[in-house]
């Protein structure tokens, strides 16, 4: 079956889905995006992702390509036309097509592209059972990491370095030696006293929708979380480490650089939190 993409008002087979060479997303990375998980046919945390999309657009003064309800309709149509049961939707909004010039163009409509793909649940489950490794490296990104911009060069360089070193993810570190986040994930530790710790949201990190959902679930269950910065040293010497994202859910980390975390297997707290997050996905609360 051919994959179908939504491109500026049309549903097209992927091979026919094109954008203009003067799309500002292509020329300036002048755009934002969202990735929404589809689990058992259900969109996970749709409202959170749409709120963040609107916030990113607002921060960059890009007009919304359509109102929220029609966008939700297009998302469902993309899922339906691609027969997605478990997978993701990718959507990208750019400032639109205009002759190349740095200032915002006048009277240019924003461009919207949406695609969907299936994800392998068994592969993801195996990763969670074994745990993954991460490396640390300097965070060389700009000062507005709270905006989910398509300008991802530092993130892809970090992910490639992780891949080259046989790791799953790179956790980035600010000038003060504190961990910011992963190249496409949020970072968490459990300290030797069993305290769950994750960095506060600010312009320094993306406010992960999975991070927020997990925090909500933990609060509901009366589980304590410390929201504060943590150092590379704390990370490497943590009892447990895990990461969160829409596509990784809650994923245990068993190695940081050359440091084996715990006994080298996913920790019980991380696995418990993964279970809590998966229950949330199932219940759709
Ligand atoms: N940080 C960065 C830099 C990311 O790209 C992502 C993935 N969008 C995340 C964190 C995790 O966010 P979410 O839980 O919304 O997928």
């Amino acid at each position: 079956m051919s994959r179908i993409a939504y491109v500026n008002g049309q549903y097209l087979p992927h091979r026919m889905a094109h954008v203009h060479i003067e799309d500002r997303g292509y020329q300036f990375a002048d755009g934002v995006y969202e990735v929404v998980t589809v689990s058992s046919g259900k969109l996970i945390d749709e409202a959170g992702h749409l709120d963040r999309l609107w916030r990113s657009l607002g921060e960059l003064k890009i007009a919304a390509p359509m109102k929220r309800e029609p966008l939700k309709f297009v998302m469902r149509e993309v899922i339906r036309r691609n027969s997605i049961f478990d997978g993701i939707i990718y959507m990208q909004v750019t400032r639109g097509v205009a002759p190349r010039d740095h200032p915002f163009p006048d009277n240019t409509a924003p461009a919207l592209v949406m695609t969907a793909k299936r994800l392998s649940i068994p592969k993801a489950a195996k990763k969670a059972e074994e745990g993954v490794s991460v490396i640390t490296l300097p965070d060389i990104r700009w000062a507005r990491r709270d905006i989910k911009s398509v300008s991802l060069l530092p993130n892809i360089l970090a992910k490639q370095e992780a891949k080259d070193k046989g790791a799953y993810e790179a956790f980035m570190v600010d000038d003060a030696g504190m961990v910011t986040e992963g190249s496409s994930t949020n970072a968490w530790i459990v300290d030797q006293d069993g305290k769950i710790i994750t960095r506060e949201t600010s312009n320094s990190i993306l406010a992960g929708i999975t991070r927020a959902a997990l925090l909500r679930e933990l609060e509901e269950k009366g589980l304590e979380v410390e929201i504060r910065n943590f150092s590379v040293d704390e990370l490497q010497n943590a009892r447990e480490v895990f990461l969160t994202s829409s596509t990784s859910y809650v994923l245990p980390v068993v190695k940081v650089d050359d440091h084996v975390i715990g006994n080298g297997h996913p920790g019980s707290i991380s696995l418990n939190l993964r279970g809590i997050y998966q229950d949330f996905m199932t219940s759709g609360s």
Side-chain angles (χ1 to χ4, degrees):
M1 192 194 76
S2 150
R3 283 179 71 198
I4 302 295
Y6 173 89
V7 187
N8 295 320
Q10 287 185 294
Y11 296 94
L12 299 166
H14 266 231
R15 72 191 140 76
M16 293 169 67
H18 299 124
V19 290
H20 195 277
I21 57 163
E22 285 192 314
D23 187 293
R24 288 177 64 97
Y26 177 60
Q27 294 194 321
F28 293 117
D30 187 4
V32 300
Y33 74 106
E34 278 296 328
V35 176
V36 186
T37 294
V38 181
S39 177
S40 302
K42 231 173 30 191
L43 285 154
I44 305 301
D45 243 326
E46 180 183 24
H49 285 282
L50 292 183
D51 287 347
R52 188 171 65 184
L53 177 65
W54 254 260
R55 180 182 182 279
S56 295
L57 290 168
E59 291 300 301
L60 297 179
K61 300 184 172 64
I62 297 175
M66 58 178 68
K67 291 212 169 81
R68 204 155 150 138
E69 285 308 313
L71 187 73
K72 285 164 75 170
F73 174 80
V74 174
M75 289 166 76
R76 280 154 184 75
E77 199 55 19
V78 168
I79 293 174
R80 190 184 69 76
R81 290 182 189 234
N82 287 283
S83 308
I84 303 289
F85 190 64
D86 288 307
I88 57 162
I89 291 191
Y90 175 84
M91 57 185 129
Q92 173 172 321
V93 181
T94 71
R95 204 178 302 276
V97 176
R100 189 181 182 281
D101 195 13
H102 286 61
F104 300 169
D106 294 324
N107 307 317
T108 295
L112 170 64
V113 167
M114 213 182 285
T115 56
K117 73 172 178 192
R118 293 178 188 167
L119 285 186
S120 158
I121 297 291
K123 251 195 227 164
K126 186 161 182 285
K127 215 172 258 147
E129 256 169 50
E130 293 174 356
V132 298
S133 58
V134 305
I135 59 165
T136 57
L137 41 72
D139 196 331
I140 59 169
R141 296 174 300 161
W142 72 328
R144 291 302 308 275
R145 302 159 188 158
D146 56 310
I147 300 170
K148 200 162 169 58
S149 149
V150 294
S151 174
L152 288 171
L153 258 185
N155 307 61
I156 64 171
L157 291 176
K159 192 76 98 185
Q160 183 61 35
E161 193 165 332
K163 188 179 172 193
D164 290 344
K165 292 183 170 155
Y168 176 80
E169 176 61 303
F171 282 178
M172 297 176 283
V173 181
D174 65 19
D175 290 344
M178 309 304 271
V179 175
T180 51
E181 62 184 327
S183 68
S184 63
T185 59
N186 287 115
W188 303 63
I189 59 172
V190 179
D191 73 6
Q192 292 300 337
D193 298 327
K195 200 170 283 162
I196 302 164
I197 303 166
T198 194
R199 190 176 173 118
E200 78 274 12
T201 50
S202 67
N203 290 357
S204 299
I205 65 168
L206 184 76
I209 302 300
T210 318
R211 174 191 176 282
L214 185 60
L215 285 175
R216 273 198 316 270
E217 293 298 307
L218 295 184
E219 190 173 19
E220 245 173 51
K221 292 185 163 44
L223 289 164
E224 207 185 313
V225 181
E226 216 172 285
I227 311 273
R228 66 162 173 87
N229 293 2
F230 58 87
S231 66
V232 175
D233 191 55
E234 287 182 279
L235 169 70
Q236 291 174 337
N237 295 296
R239 187 205 280 189
E240 295 185 27
V241 177
F242 61 94
L243 52 82
T244 55
S245 81
S246 298
T247 48
S248 296
Y249 313 155
V250 174
L251 189 59
V253 173
V254 293
K255 199 170 160 224
V256 176
D257 299 318
D258 292 331
H259 298 250
V260 173
I261 303 300
N263 62 5
H265 296 287
S268 57
I269 295 176
S270 309
L271 288 176
N272 184 32
L273 299 189
R274 184 174 172 87
I276 288 173
Y277 185 73
Q278 282 178 318
D279 287 347
F280 157 75
M281 289 204 301
T282 313
S283 69
S285 60

